[in-house]
Amino acid sequence: MVQPLGYLKESASQTAGPYVHIGLTPNFSGIDGVYESDLGAIMVTDKTLGRRITITGRVLDGTGTPLKDALLEIWQADAAGLYNSPSELRGSADPNFSGWGRSATDGVTGEYRFETIKPGRVPFKDGRLMAPHISVWIVARGINLGLNTRLYFGDEEAANAEDPVLARIEHRVRVPTLVAMADGDTYRFDIHLQGDKETVFFDI
Amino acid sequence: MTDLSNRKPETGAFFSRDRLWHPPGLTPGYKTSVLRSPQKALLSLDGTVSEITGPVFGHSILGELDNDLIHNFAKSGESAIGERIIVHGRVLDERARPVAGALLEFWQANAGGRYRHKKESYLAPLDPNFGGCGRTITDADGYYAFRTIKPGPYPWPNGVNDWRPAHIHFSVFGHGFAQRLITQMYFEGDPMIWKCPIVQTIPDKAAIEQLVAALDWGNTIPMDARAYKFDIVLRGRRSTLFENRMEGN
Ligand SMILES: [Fe+3]
């Protein structure tokens, strides 16, 4: 016999289901008056430091049909590359930027949308800088465990070329699935759940 | 947020997720998963600062009735119809430590099994006094509680005759973005749990039983509400004592 480790098992995930918007974006889903506003709907104020950008796109299933019942959350560093989190030990992040946003996909077009700022660079575990990126989490009906991916920026070619996470993608043809294309200050990032263009998802 | 513990902030990466315990992506018995599950292998990424950090939600975001679904949508002086219950428990991590300051958001059908949603097609009636969403934040011991009515089971288009057991959806925000979790709570003694294709996406019976809340007679409030106890476990964190990191990071 050995001493028991005493660890617990993580609660198993279950799909967010078709009505995730009721729980996480009730005002968007038409349930007014319970919360003043939906959490994560507004990321940026006048005081937030950094370049304003828009991120928009769709989540597409294996037939190329956009999901109209999905929910996305993003998590990113501030303009100086600091996270607004107690676990951030490198310095204090911009107090006017939480770094976290939440968006429901539209019931007609399937588009999600975030108004945010361009994040700064943050270090990989070995101290090398990663390219500017945003962590993305996707849940929906039919997704049994939330999917994690990253958005990188199409106009950061030099930084992307030396990014240690992108470098780990063996099949180089898949790297563009993580790169949002710039059109002025708007970045378009479609997420493909399946198929030739299947987005690289992470086991983080 | 006010600092809820004297422990210094934790910066270790999370325990790797046991993907044999969670449902796999592709579960043909749950038909919608077939076209929505990635088919290529996930890329393994031991947590960087982008994954081990996460936003903090202060108690200031909470309204007085956010943890009372019986009243938070009801007209003044009225209340939602149904079996009055209290759901309470703790959020722990895999090391059995309480997760303080965790944001819990929950949503559910009304007592008749009907959601307040434009795409809902079940013929059960809406309750004008029930919205179906609520939220709370765990205290320093990882404890939470909210009041609601017991949701009804409902049919859904999957197989010809599939029904969801009574359940409450939970979204949980711990301390790191990699701890993010959505799950569902079921009710002790419900025979429909074992007939549900969504429950059956979970391969391990013990993992299913961990999602079944026990009737908590001790905490039942006489002449008011029965209690159900539901503990939630999030991923644990490695200690950083021996992490190999560059000086100064
Ligand atoms: Fe449901």
Side-chain angles (χ1 to χ4, degrees):
Chain A
M1 293 297 283
V2 299
Q3 296 181 2
L5 287 169
Y7 290 147
L8 306 174
K9 293 297 289 183
E10 184 188 12
S11 297
S13 173
Q14 288 270 261
T15 179
Y19 306 123
V20 60
H21 297 166
I22 293 177
L24 302 189
T25 53
N27 290 288
F28 172 87
S29 84
I31 298 178
D32 301 318
V34 179
Y35 310 145
E36 210 163 279
S37 58
D38 289 333
L39 273 187
I42 293 175
M43 298 180 68
V44 169
T45 70
D46 295 349
K47 296 182 188 148
T48 306
L49 303 174
R51 183 186 141 210
R52 269 64 179 159
I53 61 170
T54 299
I55 293 166
T56 187
R58 296 169 301 168
V59 182
L60 304 147
D61 74 11
T63 70
T65 305
L67 274 59
K68 293 165 184 174
D69 49 13
L71 181 114
L72 286 82
E73 289 181 359
I74 61 172
W75 172 240
Q76 65 167 97
D78 69 7
L82 292 168
Y83 282 99
N84 196 335
S85 167
S87 303
E88 171 62 88
L89 302 180
R90 295 169 300 141
S92 289
D94 179 354
N96 297 303
F97 185 65
S98 80
W100 176 77
R102 177 182 275 173
S103 175
T105 57
D106 184 82
V108 177
T109 64
E111 298 255 348
Y112 69 85
R113 188 178 189 86
F114 294 97
E115 306 287 346
T116 182
I117 51 133
K118 182 97 178 279
R121 297 178 73 170
V122 302
F124 191 59
K125 295 171 85 76
D126 60 8
R128 282 182 292 165
L129 285 178
M130 294 189 276
H133 65 273
I134 293 178
S135 299
V136 183
W137 181 74
I138 305 122
V139 291
R141 175 173 67 102
I143 296 176
N144 289 327
L145 173 61
L147 299 170
N148 290 99
T149 187
R150 281 186 175 193
L151 177 157
Y152 285 84
F153 294 87
D155 48 8
E156 290 281 354
E157 278 174 38
N160 291 344
E162 62 183 26
D163 182 83
V165 173
L166 291 178
R168 302 224 349 246
I169 299 174
E170 178 188 350
H171 301 98
R172 304 308 295 168
V173 297
R174 302 191 65 202
V175 173
T177 69
L178 298 185
V179 181
M181 279 307 150
D183 176 11
D185 291 324
T186 297
Y187 292 85
R188 185 148 193 103
F189 188 58
D190 281 341
I191 294 161
H192 295 263
L193 299 177
Q194 295 182 350
D196 290 347
K197 290 187 277 185
E198 182 177 312
T199 299
V200 174
F201 296 103
F202 292 88
D203 183 7
I204 61 173
Chain B
M1 188 185 72
T2 49
D3 200 11
L4 291 166
S5 116
N6 294 324
R7 213 178 278 144
K8 63 180 191 177
E10 295 192 287
T11 54
F14 291 96
F15 293 179
S16 58
R17 215 162 213 164
D18 181 353
R19 288 181 178 265
L20 298 175
W21 183 255
H22 287 283
L26 176 61
T27 49
Y30 175 25
K31 293 182 182 179
T32 315
S33 74
V34 174
L35 283 170
R36 294 184 171 196
S37 45
Q39 295 170 333
K40 296 180 168 64
L42 304 182
L43 183 64
S44 300
L45 176 62
D46 189 27
T48 73
V49 67
S50 303
E51 288 77 35
I52 64 168
T53 54
V56 167
F57 300 94
H59 287 75
S60 62
I61 66 165
L62 298 178
E64 207 182 325
L65 294 177
D66 283 7
N67 65 348
D68 183 354
L69 281 73
I70 295 179
H71 296 108
N72 69 6
F73 191 78
K75 288 184 268 303
S76 172
E78 299 186 12
S79 56
I81 291 170
E83 300 176 32
R84 299 159 63 86
I85 60 171
I86 288 161
V87 178
H88 74 123
R90 294 174 85 197
V91 179
L92 305 167
D93 73 11
E94 287 172 293
R95 303 164 303 177
R97 294 188 188 176
V99 181
L103 172 69
L104 299 182
E105 295 163 283
F106 14 86
W107 65 101
Q108 62 169 86
N110 71 20
R114 170 81 185 258
Y115 281 95
R116 184 173 287 280
H117 194 277
K118 10 183 199 313
K119 288 192 179 160
E120 164 71 279
S121 58
Y122 185 30
L123 46 75
L126 279 172
D127 175 350
N129 288 315
F130 188 71
C133 62
R135 60 187 178 188
T136 189
I137 292 176
T138 58
D139 71 11
D141 299 316
Y143 183 78
Y144 76 92
F146 63 95
R147 250 198 325 183
T148 186
I149 49 91
K150 190 172 177 198
Y154 58 85
W156 59 297
N158 185 63
V160 172
N161 185 28
D162 279 330
W163 291 68
R164 299 298 329 279
H167 63 276
I168 301 177
H169 297 265
F170 276 75
S171 161
V172 193
F173 235 115
H175 295 168
F177 202 60
Q179 263 181 330
R180 199 79 181 80
L181 181 71
I182 281 185
T183 188
Q184 301 182 27
M185 178 196 117
Y186 303 99
F187 291 84
E188 178 183 0
D190 184 349
M192 293 176 60
I193 294 170
W194 308 103
K195 298 182 186 300
C196 173
I198 287 178
V199 173
Q200 286 164 1
T201 62
I202 300 175
D204 191 319
K205 184 157 185 267
I208 295 171
E209 287 170 338
Q210 194 184 355
L211 301 181
V212 181
L215 177 63
D216 178 2
W217 203 248
N219 275 302
T220 286
I221 305 171
M223 305 302 286
D224 183 349
R226 289 171 303 149
Y228 282 88
K229 178 132 191 297
F230 185 58
D231 289 337
I232 298 166
V233 180
L234 301 181
R235 296 168 71 176
R237 264 187 206 268
R238 295 202 302 263
S239 152
T240 49
L241 295 176
F242 299 102
E243 294 275 320
N244 45 7
R245 48 179 68 224
M246 301 281 283
E247 296 300 321
N249 280 332

